[in-house]
Amino acid sequence: GNSVTQMEGPVTLSEEAFLTINCTYTATGYPSLFWYVQYPGEGLQLLLKATKADDKGSNKGFEATYRKETTSFHLEKGSVQVSDSAVYFCALMNQAGTALIFGKGTTLSVSS
Amino acid sequence: DTAVSQTPKYLVTQMGNDKSIKCEQNLGHDTMYWYKQDSKKFLKIMFSYNNKELIINETVPNRFSPKSPDKAHLNLHINSLELGDSAVYFCASSQERLGGYTFGSGTRLTVV
């Protein structure tokens, strides 16, 4: 079945550090892949997405590249800010296109 | 204007009670969803409706019953509440099959 595996958190970084949050998936075919962010007390917001192999999604300095060889969609940012502190979710769209399947989330905490 | 709005934001109730959570979207989307987020932040799809028609009904106790009076609304009614129902419930909507979802800000349900 479909599943998403994210690195365990929490991830604790200093401001301006480089961020990587690993995400791998198991799915039939080539699903669309997403990263969502959840700030404290809020709902999830779409951060970026990629719909086919080798696509790179990017937004607000975050990037992720769809790698079908390694079934991965790692999230990266060159220089994190305190305001990036949140929970990050990797997700895939199931084959029927009827539901997003989420990873368990990775908490990022950035200190100044 | 809020795109996906849920009410109430917080709900504290006793075991055995019946409660409802309401969701409305003003985006003109055709599909709406209910997700449950547990205390460890894990998100799991519960229901999906497309144009008032049930598309997904995951393994959820039949004490949970969704109702969609029109495509802009998807309410969640829960009978005979149990301690294990305590969680944050998120409503979401989408238009394209491969597009991102827009989430509400969540309803934190606490059963005591």
Side-chain angles (χ1 to χ4, degrees), chain A residues 4-20:
Chain A
V4 176
T5 303
Q6 289 181 236
M7 61 189 288
E8 294 277 335
V11 174
T12 304
L13 295 172
S14 298
E15 209 166 22
E16 298 184 5
F18 184 85
L19 168 72
T20 300

Side-chain angles (χ1 to χ4, degrees), chain B residues 13-54:
Chain B
T13 188
Q14 291 189 326
M15 274 173 34
N17 283 351
D18 302 338
K19 290 293 178 187
S20 291
I21 305 172
K22 296 186 175 182
C23 179
E24 176 182 4
Q25 54 96 2
N26 62 7
L27 298 166
H29 288 171
D30 288 332
T31 309
M32 296 184 72
Y33 312 83
W34 278 109
Y35 277 82
K36 179 180 180 180
Q37 185 174 47
D38 64 22
S39 59
K40 295 184 178 177
K41 300 288 188 184
F42 184 58
L43 277 156
K44 187 171 166 52
I45 181 88
M46 299 175 70
F47 301 104
S48 164
Y49 267 75
N50 181 272
N51 247 327
K52 302 194 302 175
E53 194 175 321
L54 182 65

Side-chain angles (χ1 to χ4, degrees), chain A residues 21-85:
Chain A
I21 300 179
N22 290 339
C23 171
T24 57
Y25 67 90
T26 301
T28 305
Y30 303 107
S32 292
L33 301 174
F34 303 80
W35 276 101
Y36 279 80
V37 58
Q38 184 179 26
Y39 298 103
E42 298 183 13
L44 281 75
Q45 300 173 26
L46 177 64
L47 183 59
L48 53 85
K49 70 176 184 180
T51 57
K52 60 183 189 298
D54 299 325
D55 265 3
K56 177 186 280 189
S58 61
N59 186 23
K60 299 181 183 179
F62 291 90
E63 292 183 342
T65 301
Y66 191 142
R67 303 276 188 212
K68 70 174 183 180
E69 312 83 19
T70 52
T71 61
S72 64
F73 194 54
H74 304 322
L75 183 69
E76 296 182 337
K77 186 175 186 183
S79 175
V80 293
Q81 306 300 312
V82 172
S83 57
D84 293 326
S85 299

Side-chain angles (χ1 to χ4, degrees), chain B residues 61-112:
Chain B
N62 58 15
R63 298 181 294 104
F64 290 78
S65 53
K67 286 190 171 48
S68 182
D70 55 61
K71 78 171 196 177
H73 295 83
L74 181 62
N75 304 323
L76 184 65
H77 189 76
I78 316 169
N79 290 328
S80 304
L81 277 154
E82 300 178 357
L83 293 177
D85 298 331
S86 296
V88 181
Y89 293 84
F90 285 100
C91 178
S93 71
S94 70
Q95 183 61 15
E96 311 163 8
R97 283 183 66 194
L98 301 181
Y101 291 7
T102 302
F103 280 81
S105 56
T107 295
R108 182 174 293 277
L109 171 66
T110 304
V111 182
V112 297

